[in-house]
């Protein structure tokens, strides 16, 4: 359930059974020693901030049974690498906020990043001080990528060839 294992600082490994279909809000948040998580394909929802502040969680394999990454999912965790499955269509705000990610590839299946409200600053990658490369493989509408503060360290922001000449996509991106 929601907040089920929150602050369980001694928890190091989690292997969820196939009977689990939903990981609740803040379920493993602040489990500072959690370094290994196994999520079965029976899981269809991973709720907001489920793995936030899990500082020893450096990588995770997401099941192809989920379709979105809820807000704050990995915020301020130790996440250094992730492969986003092609089942993901939406990445909500603050998912990777404050993580030590250095690069990320967003698959073609993702059509929404953040909440598309420019006034909120698109916190998906906010405070990712080690992020140097973001690669978008899909075809994006301007609202999906404009107005977002990404990272001061960002060196490369790659778009599909079809849109690489559309400079309006970069007008509101702050790096």
């Amino acid at each position: 359930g929601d907040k089920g294992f929150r602050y369980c600082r001694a928890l190091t490994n989690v292997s969820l059974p196939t009977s689990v279909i939903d990981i609740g809000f803040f379920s493993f948040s602040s489990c500072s020693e959690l370094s290994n998580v196994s999520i079965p394909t029976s899981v269809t929802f991973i709720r907001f901030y489920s793995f936030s502040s899990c500082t020893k969680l450096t990588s995770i394999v997401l099941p192809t049974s989920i379709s979105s990454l809820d807000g704050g999912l990995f915020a301020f965790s130790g996440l250094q690498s992730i492969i986003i499955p092609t089942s993901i269509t939406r990445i909500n705000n603050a998912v990777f906020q404050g993580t030590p990610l250095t690069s990320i590839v967003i698959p073609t299946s993702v059509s929404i990043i953040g909440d598309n409200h420019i006034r909120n600053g698109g916190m998906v990658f906010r405070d990712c001080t080690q992020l140097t490369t973001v690669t978008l493989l899909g075809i994006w509408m301007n609202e999906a990528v404009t107005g977002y503060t990404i990272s001061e360290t960002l060196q490369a922001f790659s778009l599909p060839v079809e849109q690489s000449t559309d400079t309006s996509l970069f007008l509101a991106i702050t790096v």
Side-chain angles (χ1 to χ4, degrees):
D2 295 342
K3 302 179 184 178
F5 295 95
R6 190 175 189 188
Y7 299 116
C8 287
R9 292 185 176 93
L11 188 63
T12 59
N13 294 293
V14 171
S15 183
L16 297 172
T18 57
S19 58
V20 174
I21 58 170
D22 190 330
I23 299 174
F25 301 96
F26 293 94
S27 287
F28 297 97
S29 178
S30 299
C31 293
S32 55
E33 296 299 312
L34 183 62
S35 61
N36 186 35
V37 178
S38 177
I39 304 171
T41 56
S42 60
V43 172
T44 55
F45 296 102
I46 304 175
R47 305 294 177 177
F48 295 89
Y49 295 93
S50 291
F51 296 101
S52 64
S53 299
C54 293
T55 54
K56 291 201 175 167
L57 185 64
T58 59
S59 66
I60 193 166
V61 175
L62 297 172
T64 57
S65 50
I66 59 172
S67 62
S68 69
L69 300 180
D70 273 358
L73 185 58
F74 300 108
F76 303 104
S77 71
L79 196 66
Q80 295 173 6
S81 65
I82 188 169
I83 295 174
I84 299 173
T86 57
S87 60
I88 301 296
T89 59
R90 180 182 187 119
I91 300 174
N92 288 303
N93 277 342
V95 169
F96 302 110
Q97 183 178 6
T99 64
L101 279 173
T102 57
S103 66
I104 192 164
V105 175
I106 310 294
T108 58
S109 57
V110 176
S111 59
I112 298 173
I113 296 179
D115 61 10
N116 285 347
H117 295 156
I118 291 173
R119 69 181 179 276
N120 291 337
M123 298 178 354
V124 174
F125 299 109
R126 182 169 280 173
D127 301 323
C128 291
T129 58
Q130 297 176 43
L131 185 64
T132 58
T133 306
V134 175
T135 302
L136 302 176
L137 298 178
I139 296 178
W140 297 81
M141 296 178 59
N142 288 1
E143 293 83 11
V145 294
T146 58
Y148 290 92
T149 301
I150 296 179
S151 171
E152 291 179 6
T153 57
L154 191 68
Q155 298 170 1
F157 190 86
S158 304
L159 289 169
V161 174
E162 299 85 24
Q163 293 195 4
S164 62
T165 58
D166 184 355
T167 57
S168 67
L169 292 171
F170 297 98
L171 294 178
I173 293 176
T174 304
V175 291

